[in-house]
Amino acid sequence: MTIAMARPEALRSDAQRNRTALLDVARTFVDRGEPALLNAVAHEAGVGVGTAYRHFPSQQHLLEALAIDALEDMLDQVRDAVVLPDAADALRGVVTAAFRSMVDDAALGDLLTNGGFSCADTAALAGDLVVSVDALLARGRTEGIVRTDIDADDLRRLLCGLREAAVAGGTRVSDPERYVEILLAGLRPTNRPTP
Amino acid sequence: MTIAMARPEALRSDAQRNRTALLDVARTFVDRGEPALLNAVAHEAGVGVGTAYRHFPSQQHLLEALAIDALEDMLDQVRDAVVLPDAADALRGVVTAAFRSMVDDAALGDLLTNGGFSCADTAALAGDLVVSVDALLARGRTEGIVRTDIDADDLRRLLCGLREAAVAGGTRVSDPERYVEILLAGLRPTNRPTP
Amino acid sequence: MTIAMARPEALRSDAQRNRTALLDVARTFVDRGEPALLNAVAHEAGVGVGTAYRHFPSQQHLLEALAIDALEDMLDQVRDAVVLPDAADALRGVVTAAFRSMVDDAALGDLLTNGGFSCADTAALAGDLVVSVDALLARGRTEGIVRTDIDADDLRRLLCGLREAAVAGGTRVSDPERYVEILLAGLRPTNRPTP
Amino acid sequence: MTIAMARPEALRSDAQRNRTALLDVARTFVDRGEPALLNAVAHEAGVGVGTAYRHFPSQQHLLEALAIDALEDMLDQVRDAVVLPDAADALRGVVTAAFRSMVDDAALGDLLTNGGFSCADTAALAGDLVVSVDALLARGRTEGIVRTDIDADDLRRLLCGLREAAVAGGTRVSDPERYVEILLAGLRPTNRPTP
DNA sequence: CATGAATGAGAGTTCATTCAT
DNA sequence: TATGAATGAACTCTCATTCAT
């Protein structure tokens, strides 16, 4: 029994073709806000259900495969941000980018909201993300630019909640950037004006 | 065809008994985070399915019946707040109380999050709520204690998102009050310190 | 236990009022081609379901109550026809009138089509109708103006079928009278021209 | 979305086995005059409900699958009849055969009576049938052996009505052929004896 | 007698997952 | 390895009839 991977080893070329087709179709589903039912995705991709299940044992696996690149980008961004000269800029950059990604990519948003990773690689990525975000927050706390009672999981929750606020009910709010500003302002330590 | 009401006229005593039993059971479902399936609720309440459907034509009606009291309390609170001497206190009180209610009562939280009212009385209540919240925000804007780019629907969305943040995944975050503080701080006009 | 009657004895005035209201509403249902569900009829008549069931123990009883006058008219017409001077005119008159009644009155048409009387009086009426129609046909056979292999039940079936033909699918055929002409022509003995 | 077909492409052997089993059971239902409920048919065929729904998305589809062969036979017969030397023989043959088929095969009878085709192939067949029957009637009119006010839809209605007359109430009338003779005689132009 | 709440079997349908081909 | 047919539990909803009030 192999551990599931959202990003698999090298595949035979036909398998790779199927996998890509499935992901492409699944993407259209989540972009429309519809659940990526394996059967429906398989059918629309012109592939047997069994094949779909071989590649993605559950909807969750499919979701993680859809989101893993974005998750990795997010990790890179946080790691870059940790070493930025200005801590406030770093945090602002990370929060803004994360929010945008989650609003634009329902797969990523859903994944971070619901958790419960099924693939070893996405789970590991998520773990690394927590570590890096904690580092970022630690620095922010040290420099006094962020509340001291917030950890990485709080930030994840707040971002997921904010994304819900922005896209809930299938309608995207106008100018979602306002919501990031609100979060960023709210994250600063109390009684401390914007620099 | 009578228009559905979440809070019906006086009921015959047996009907009232069943209705209460259904609502009690439904409450345990939503409190556990489970969907209040009409059949399951009916069965557990020791009542025929048909009876459940007579009282609540759909899960949505059931949800609204579960939430209407809390919704009304919320409206009262907002109306009281509008005439409070201090606008900042008023807003803080409303946001705090609303957040607590939604976190404690999943029915209320789900209702405000998903919208789509089926009962005339809950829909009316929700409409009144928007009016009152807009009044509250207008006053806040006038007095310069709240961002000018936020309306009642934004506040609803933000509160629903914050509640998601606090209770998502079936686990309630520790000390949810922190999240309200974040939101309240974020709602203040930029570059303006807490008084 | 009383035997059911489509046309009951004298009723208390309030009972009579309810009965009439139920029948009036039921008539609108069958005229629209909808089944006269006891619950729906009762509700629309502003009467309790129990009351509806007291007056009409089943949809069938309701149907018979709706049709009994027309059935009686039909019987009168046949009895009158039997003693008419011209047998061909008599048959033509009966067939034409019966067809028209059944096309115009879905309750009557359905009753004669499905049989299975639940009320003693409608059943008796139907029995009398068979007797009279057989007399009419006997005379017709004697005078050589009608096929010899047709009895009253055949004629009922043929008329019901013809009505189905005319109104099937909720769409009434244009000029239904053509269909009566076809039946009348078909009923004449073979090889015998219209006089 | 594939368009439904009453007669599918080549099936995998297991699918073919199930399909046949379902159709066999469904046949017994309609022959008993009972509605072919998908669930009941599936159960009696020893097959999951889902399988029944895969093969036949609705009762209507099932009905059309049951009737398509007979419908095709009927079309062949009409097309053959159109080119027969004697127009009267042609019409007689078609009417007689159609009536027999509908009386013997409740699926066919119900299909033609209720219309509302769900499968592309049966709908096409029905359309072709109208065309061919109209051709047959046109020739009959030209040769003066059929009433001029009857078109293909009238003939369909009359045949469906006649079949109702013959089999209504679950009891089949004795010697149904008499009814065809009546219809055939009735279809001839008025005042014109049988040749 | 009137009322209308309650009943519950059953119809119709969907979908995640398995497994024969 | 790919295919797609099969599965059946689960769910929503209806309606004819009964019975407590």
Side-chain angles (χ1 to χ4, degrees):
Chain A
M1 187 177 61
T2 0
I3 294 170
M5 287 289 163
R7 190 189 283 133
E9 312 287 295
L11 256 38
R12 250 172 46 184
S13 69
D14 56 340
Q16 183 57 55
R17 198 164 43 240
N18 283 339
R19 189 167 197 280
T20 306
L22 287 164
L23 286 173
D24 287 349
V25 170
R27 171 62 66 193
T28 67
F29 275 63
V30 316
D31 280 352
R32 278 197 306 267
E34 290 170 24
L37 303 184
L38 269 295
N39 269 296
V41 171
H43 184 250
E44 192 159 312
V47 147
V49 217
T51 305
Y53 270 84
R54 163 173 303 274
H55 285 287
F56 310 106
S58 76
Q59 243 190 82
Q60 178 66 22
H61 290 87
L62 179 51
L63 196 69
E64 295 182 26
L66 237 27
I68 191 167
D69 287 349
L71 199 61
E72 203 160 47
D73 289 351
M74 193 177 278
L75 177 59
D76 289 345
Q77 173 121 28
V78 179
R79 284 180 168 157
D80 290 352
V82 171
V83 296
L84 241 41
D86 185 285
D89 282 356
L91 185 64
R92 164 181 313 272
V94 161
V95 167
T96 307
F99 177 76
R100 281 182 189 151
S101 304
M102 290 170 66
V103 163
D104 288 345
D105 179 355
L108 180 66
D110 291 348
L111 186 61
L112 288 171
T113 299
N114 302 322
F117 298 94
S118 296
C119 301
D121 42 8
T122 38
L125 232 32
D128 292 351
L129 202 50
V130 169
V131 172
S132 296
V133 170
D134 268 330
L136 187 70
L137 288 174
R139 190 177 153 212
R141 277 193 294 268
T142 306
E143 305 198 6
I145 55 120
V146 70
R147 294 175 63 107
T148 56
D149 56 0
I150 294 296
D151 66 13
D153 190 59
D154 286 316
L155 189 52
R156 177 192 63 77
R157 283 171 173 266
L158 288 165
L159 275 165
C160 290
L162 212 65
R163 172 233 177 199
E164 278 287 314
V167 305
T171 57
R172 183 175 302 199
V173 83
S174 68
D175 191 10
E177 303 287 320
R178 291 175 297 148
Y179 288 8
V180 201
E181 290 175 30
I182 291 171
L183 177 59
L184 284 167
L187 286 176
R188 281 191 282 275
T190 319
N191 291 326
R192 197 162 183 299
T194 315
Chain B
M1 186 178 63
T2 340
I3 293 169
M5 286 289 163
R7 189 189 284 134
E9 312 286 294
L11 288 178
R12 232 169 63 181
S13 68
D14 55 343
Q16 183 56 58
R17 196 166 40 231
N18 284 333
R19 188 166 200 279
T20 305
L22 287 164
L23 285 173
D24 287 349
V25 170
R27 171 64 67 193
T28 69
F29 275 63
V30 315
D31 280 351
R32 278 197 307 267
E34 290 169 25
L37 304 181
L38 269 299
N39 270 343
V41 171
H43 183 252
E44 193 160 311
V47 148
V49 218
T51 305
Y53 272 86
R54 160 180 288 269
H55 285 287
F56 310 106
S58 76
Q59 242 190 80
Q60 179 65 21
H61 290 86
L62 180 51
L63 195 69
E64 296 182 27
L66 238 26
I68 190 168
D69 286 348
L71 198 60
E72 203 161 47
D73 289 349
M74 192 176 279
L75 177 58
D76 289 343
Q77 174 119 31
V78 178
R79 285 181 168 158
D80 289 349
V82 171
V83 296
L84 242 39
D86 187 283
D89 282 355
L91 184 64
R92 165 183 311 273
V94 160
V95 168
T96 306
F99 177 75
R100 282 182 189 151
S101 303
M102 290 169 68
V103 164
D104 289 344
D105 180 353
L108 180 65
D110 291 349
L111 186 61
L112 288 171
T113 299
N114 302 321
F117 299 93
S118 297
C119 302
D121 40 11
T122 39
L125 235 29
D128 291 350
L129 203 50
V130 168
V131 172
S132 296
V133 170
D134 267 330
L136 187 69
L137 288 173
R139 188 173 155 216
R141 277 193 295 269
T142 306
E143 305 199 5
I145 56 120
V146 68
R147 296 176 61 109
T148 56
D149 57 1
I150 294 297
D151 65 14
D153 191 59
D154 287 315
L155 189 52
R156 180 192 61 78
R157 283 170 173 265
L158 289 165
L159 275 165
C160 290
L162 211 66
R163 172 234 177 197
E164 277 287 314
V167 306
T171 57
R172 182 177 302 200
V173 83
S174 67
D175 191 13
E177 303 289 317
R178 292 175 294 148
Y179 288 7
V180 200
E181 290 174 30
I182 292 172
L183 178 58
L184 285 167
L187 286 176
R188 281 192 283 272
T190 319
N191 290 328
R192 198 163 182 296
T194 315
Chain C
M1 186 179 59
T2 2
I3 294 170
M5 287 289 164
R7 190 189 284 133
E9 312 287 296
L11 255 41
R12 249 171 49 183
S13 69
D14 56 341
Q16 182 57 55
R17 196 166 43 240
N18 284 339
R19 190 169 196 278
T20 305
L22 287 164
L23 285 173
D24 287 349
V25 170
R27 171 61 66 192
T28 68
F29 275 62
V30 315
D31 280 352
R32 279 197 306 267
E34 290 170 25
L37 303 185
L38 269 295
N39 269 295
V41 171
H43 184 250
E44 192 159 314
V47 148
V49 218
T51 307
Y53 270 84
R54 164 173 302 276
H55 285 287
F56 310 105
S58 77
Q59 244 189 80
Q60 178 65 22
H61 291 86
L62 180 50
L63 196 70
E64 295 182 28
L66 237 27
I68 191 167
D69 286 350
L71 199 61
E72 203 160 47
D73 288 349
M74 193 176 279
L75 177 59
D76 289 345
Q77 172 122 30
V78 179
R79 284 181 167 156
D80 289 352
V82 171
V83 296
L84 239 42
D86 186 283
D89 281 356
L91 184 65
R92 165 182 312 272
V94 160
V95 166
T96 306
F99 178 76
R100 280 180 189 154
S101 304
M102 289 169 67
V103 163
D104 288 345
D105 179 355
L108 180 66
D110 290 349
L111 185 62
L112 289 172
T113 299
N114 302 320
F117 299 95
S118 296
C119 302
D121 42 8
T122 39
L125 231 33
D128 291 351
L129 202 51
V130 168
V131 171
S132 296
V133 169
D134 267 329
L136 187 70
L137 288 173
R139 190 176 154 214
R141 276 193 294 270
T142 306
E143 305 197 9
I145 55 121
V146 69
R147 295 176 62 108
T148 56
D149 55 3
I150 294 296
D151 65 14
D153 190 59
D154 287 315
L155 189 53
R156 178 192 62 78
R157 283 170 174 267
L158 289 165
L159 274 166
C160 289
L162 211 66
R163 173 233 177 199
E164 277 287 313
V167 305
T171 56
R172 183 175 302 200
V173 84
S174 68
D175 191 11
E177 304 288 319
R178 291 174 297 147
Y179 288 8
V180 200
E181 290 175 29
I182 291 171
L183 177 59
L184 284 167
L187 285 176
R188 282 191 281 273
T190 319
N191 291 327
R192 200 162 179 297
T194 313
Chain D
M1 187 177 61
T2 341
I3 294 168
M5 287 289 164
R7 190 189 283 134
E9 312 286 294
L11 290 176
R12 232 169 63 181
S13 67
D14 56 343
Q16 183 56 58
R17 195 166 43 235
N18 284 334
R19 188 166 201 280
T20 306
L22 287 164
L23 286 173
D24 287 350
V25 169
R27 172 64 66 193
T28 68
F29 275 64
V30 315
D31 280 352
R32 278 198 305 269
E34 291 170 24
L37 305 182
L38 269 298
N39 273 298
V41 170
H43 182 252
E44 194 160 312
V47 147
V49 221
T51 305
Y53 271 86
R54 161 179 287 269
H55 284 286
F56 310 106
S58 75
Q59 243 191 81
Q60 180 65 21
H61 289 87
L62 180 50
L63 195 69
E64 295 182 28
L66 237 27
I68 190 167
D69 286 349
L71 198 60
E72 202 161 46
D73 289 349
M74 192 176 278
L75 177 58
D76 289 343
Q77 174 118 28
V78 178
R79 284 180 168 159
D80 289 351
V82 170
V83 296
L84 241 39
D86 186 283
D89 281 356
L91 185 64
R92 165 182 311 272
V94 159
V95 167
T96 307
F99 177 75
R100 282 182 189 151
S101 304
M102 290 169 66
V103 163
D104 289 345
D105 180 353
L108 180 66
D110 290 349
L111 186 61
L112 289 171
T113 300
N114 302 322
F117 299 93
S118 296
C119 301
D121 40 10
T122 39
L125 234 30
D128 291 350
L129 202 51
V130 168
V131 172
S132 296
V133 169
D134 268 328
L136 187 70
L137 288 173
R139 190 175 155 214
R141 278 193 294 268
T142 306
E143 304 198 7
I145 55 121
V146 67
R147 295 175 61 107
T148 56
D149 57 1
I150 295 296
D151 65 13
D153 191 59
D154 286 315
L155 189 52
R156 180 192 61 78
R157 283 172 173 265
L158 289 166
L159 275 166
C160 290
L162 212 65
R163 172 233 176 198
E164 277 286 314
V167 306
T171 57
R172 182 176 303 199
V173 85
S174 68
D175 192 12
E177 302 289 317
R178 292 175 295 148
Y179 288 8
V180 199
E181 289 175 30
I182 292 172
L183 177 58
L184 284 167
L187 286 176
R188 279 190 283 273
T190 318
N191 289 330
R192 198 164 181 296
T194 315

